[in-house]
Amino acid sequence: MKLAKTLLVVVPLVVAFIYMSSNDSNYTGLMTLCLLIFSLFFAFVMKKVLPSVLLMMISLHWFQMDGMAITLNFIPVAVVLFLLYMLDQRENRLDAPILAASAVILGHMGFVLLARPFSIEYIFFYINSICFLFFLACSMIKWDSKKVQTILNAHLAFMIIWGFIERIVRGDVRIEGPALSSTNYAVMLVVAWTIWLINGYLVQKYKNVTLIVGSLLVLITILLSGTRMGLLGMGLCGVLLIVSKLFLQYEKQVVKFLVYFVVSSLAFCCLAYVVWQLLPNDLFLKQGLSTLISGKLDMSSLGRLGAWATALDIIRTDPVWGVGPGNFLYRNKLLLDTYSMIPLVEITPRLGHAHNVFLLVLSEQGFVGFAVLGSFFLYGIYFLLRYIKRTKSGFGLALLSGAVVTLFLGMFDVFPLFPSSLAWGSWYMAILYSMRNTEEVGK
């Protein structure tokens, strides 16, 4: 064990020296490489899977950041090694559902690469392949309420701390966190917080002060991100928390359920209104949301409308295969430039994706890709609903609430299909698929 601890300190130092000697600007690549090494160290040497999953998931946030250098070549090596380790542990077996998911996802990717129905941007296939391998590795773990909460505790702390440091050091009006996008950062934060809050309250029985402090930190971070959808997601989470609590208490008492739901929802709305009034009027997020409520369009809203129009145009012209990942920006510019003589269109931002997770898949992958990803997602939801029906567990309701918030906010953003959040989405889907063989998971 002493040797293991020594290696944990020495190896990153040696790697840092070699890495930075070639280019002193590769800080991102160095940090990611060290995280991957730590991840494998925890798995193979310390035999601790959860820290390994956490560090690998964090390292996979940064595919597209500058300064990755040779780390991009090491990422697939690390993920494959972790997958082999988990297969050897045999917590969950490599059974029919996993093999079917692998055949559908990898088969679709392979066919597209061979048939080339659109211009191929290989970086997206690289990212998607790695994240799917990460999903396979994580699906071999028997996830329960405590394990999921442990990951969420650490990951939420990481994202919140990153956000505060970013605001202090850089002083940006909108922080982006490790997600390279303020919107994606806030949505990932609120979905993770939704599962954390409901699971922590219903199952882990966290103290109220812990839940309140954690929620306030998330609220402050979302305000700093300037993302209006973050507040909408937190509001939806509050409603889902009420529904989940009442469902467990009054599942077969419909009248009581409805009465308590209405009363609790009204109380929550009053609380939300008080919080809104207490926010400073010059806050970027409050100004943006006030503009939207007043019926006016800001640059963000204009950009989304232009992106949605582009996606619908692509679905019309390329319904089967779409235009392919990475090719949306060209079509967005082409469409909007056609009507650039209109002043409102001329100032509309040109965007690189559809800003709607459903339109994103349909425009980039076509109806074939939508069917593939949709079946993969629905199969996982099937395992989750079966688990909830069997156990009546707050853990299952927390995961389902996370899916509801994701789908709702997915109408305005592309989480979790944005490259920096894809690993988080892979981990979430792995939790759902891990329920396929369990009778009593995380009650």
Side-chain angles (χ1 to χ4, degrees):
M1 187 60 69
K2 288 183 178 180
L3 176 61
K5 292 181 179 179
T6 302
L7 289 173
L8 187 61
V9 176
V10 172
V11 171
L13 291 176
V14 173
V15 170
F17 175 78
I18 297 174
Y19 210 110
M20 299 306 289
S21 62
S22 62
N23 190 329
D24 60 4
S25 65
N26 291 333
Y27 296 108
T28 305
L30 172 61
M31 182 166 55
T32 305
L33 186 60
C34 289
L35 286 175
L36 291 171
I37 292 173
F38 285 151
S39 176
L40 295 177
F41 180 89
F42 275 110
F44 285 92
V45 179
M46 305 295 289
K47 306 300 181 183
K48 295 183 181 295
V49 173
L50 294 187
S52 182
V53 171
L54 174 68
L55 294 177
M56 188 160 290
M57 182 165 63
I58 290 174
S59 68
L60 296 181
H61 285 320
W62 301 324
F63 281 114
Q64 294 181 298
M65 286 186 73
D66 295 331
M68 287 294 285
I70 61 174
T71 300
L72 278 175
N73 299 316
F74 181 70
I75 288 175
V77 176
V79 174
V80 169
L81 287 174
F82 181 60
L83 173 59
L84 293 175
Y85 174 80
M86 290 311 308
L87 289 173
D88 184 61
Q89 298 304 300
R90 298 177 184 175
E91 284 191 33
N92 270 330
R93 64 182 183 271
L94 195 63
D95 53 8
I98 291 296
L99 292 175
S102 300
V104 170
I105 297 294
L106 297 180
H108 173 255
M109 292 175 61
F111 182 83
V112 167
L113 287 172
L114 290 174
R116 296 177 176 273
F118 43 70
S119 177
I120 302 293
E121 293 288 339
Y122 289 101
I123 183 62
F124 290 96
F125 284 88
Y126 172 81
I127 294 172
N128 292 340
S129 299
I130 288 174
C131 287
F132 186 74
L133 293 177
F134 181 63
F135 155 79
L136 288 178
C138 292
S139 68
M140 296 296 106
I141 301 171
K142 288 185 177 180
W143 292 98
D144 57 27
S145 173
K146 185 175 181 180
K147 289 179 181 178
V148 169
Q149 199 74 356
T150 299
I151 296 290
L152 289 174
N153 284 335
H155 192 256
L156 279 170
F158 162 74
M159 291 200 295
I160 291 170
I161 292 171
W162 179 299
F164 277 85
I165 292 176
E166 181 182 343
R167 183 56 179 262
I168 294 171
V169 173
R170 297 177 55 180
D172 294 339
V173 176
R174 299 183 66 185
I175 60 175
E176 297 180 345
L180 307 181
S181 162
S182 298
T183 302
N184 194 62
Y185 173 49
V187 174
M188 181 163 55
L189 195 64
V190 76
V191 172
W193 170 75
T194 296
I195 301 172
W196 174 85
L197 178 67
I198 297 177
N199 189 46
Y201 177 65
L202 295 179
V203 183
Q204 296 302 312
K205 306 299 182 183
Y206 281 2
K207 294 181 179 179
N208 289 336
V209 65
T210 301
L211 298 173
I212 293 172
V213 170
S215 300
L216 285 175
L217 289 174
V218 170
L219 174 62
I220 294 170
T221 309
I222 288 175
L223 293 176
L224 293 177
S225 76
T227 304
R228 294 168 290 195
M229 289 183 298
L231 289 184
L232 295 177
M234 292 192 76
L236 179 57
C237 171
V239 174
L240 292 171
L241 174 61
I242 294 170
V243 171
S244 298
K245 175 68 175 178
L246 295 177
F247 173 78
L248 294 178
Q249 285 186 323
Y250 306 110
E251 179 192 359
K252 298 181 180 180
Q253 298 173 280
V254 179
V255 176
K256 278 190 175 182
F257 177 89
L258 292 175
V259 170
Y260 281 115
F261 173 73
V262 172
V263 173
S264 301
S265 297
L266 289 174
F268 175 75
C269 290
C270 291
L271 176 62
Y273 177 77
V274 171
V275 172
W276 175 257
Q277 294 300 320
L278 291 175
L279 295 178
N281 290 326
D282 60 350
L283 191 68
F284 179 85
L285 185 148
K286 189 170 184 178
Q287 290 178 339
L289 197 55
S290 298
T291 299
L292 187 64
I293 293 173
S294 67
K296 299 178 181 178
L297 294 175
D298 56 12
M299 288 297 102
S300 177
S301 301
L302 281 174
R304 278 182 169 79
L305 290 176
W308 295 345
T310 303
L312 293 174
D313 184 62
I314 292 172
I315 294 170
R316 178 182 63 83
T317 60
D318 302 87
V320 179
W321 298 104
V323 295
N327 298 320
F328 185 88
L329 179 59
Y330 170 76
R331 288 292 297 266
N332 183 238
K333 290 179 178 178
L334 187 65
L335 178 68
L336 296 182
D337 288 349
T338 304
Y339 303 96
S340 59
M341 73 291 295
I342 303 174
L344 202 61
V345 175
E346 184 180 7
I347 64 173
T348 299
R350 275 52 173 168
L351 302 177
H353 58 78
H355 278 271
N356 177 299
V357 72
F358 308 102
L359 292 178
L360 170 80
V361 178
L362 286 169
S363 62
E364 295 189 356
Q365 306 280 0
F367 284 101
V368 174
F370 189 83
V372 169
L373 290 177
S375 60
F376 173 70
F377 173 74
L378 290 176
Y379 205 15
I381 293 296
Y382 163 74
F383 292 130
L384 175 60
L385 293 177
R386 188 179 64 175
Y387 167 77
I388 293 174
K389 181 180 179 181
R390 184 173 62 244
T391 64
K392 303 297 187 295
S393 167
F395 174 51
L397 294 175
L399 292 173
L400 182 60
S401 297
V404 171
V405 173
T406 299
L407 292 175
F408 172 70
L409 297 183
M411 292 187 291
F412 312 98
D413 189 53
V414 297
F415 174 86
L417 299 183
F418 197 72
S420 61
S421 58
L422 193 56
W424 197 98
S426 300
W427 171 69
Y428 172 81
M429 290 304 300
I431 298 171
L432 304 191
Y433 272 76
S434 74
M435 295 177 167
R436 64 196 184 277
N437 295 324
T438 54
E439 293 299 324
E440 299 292 332
V441 182
K443 282 191 70 175

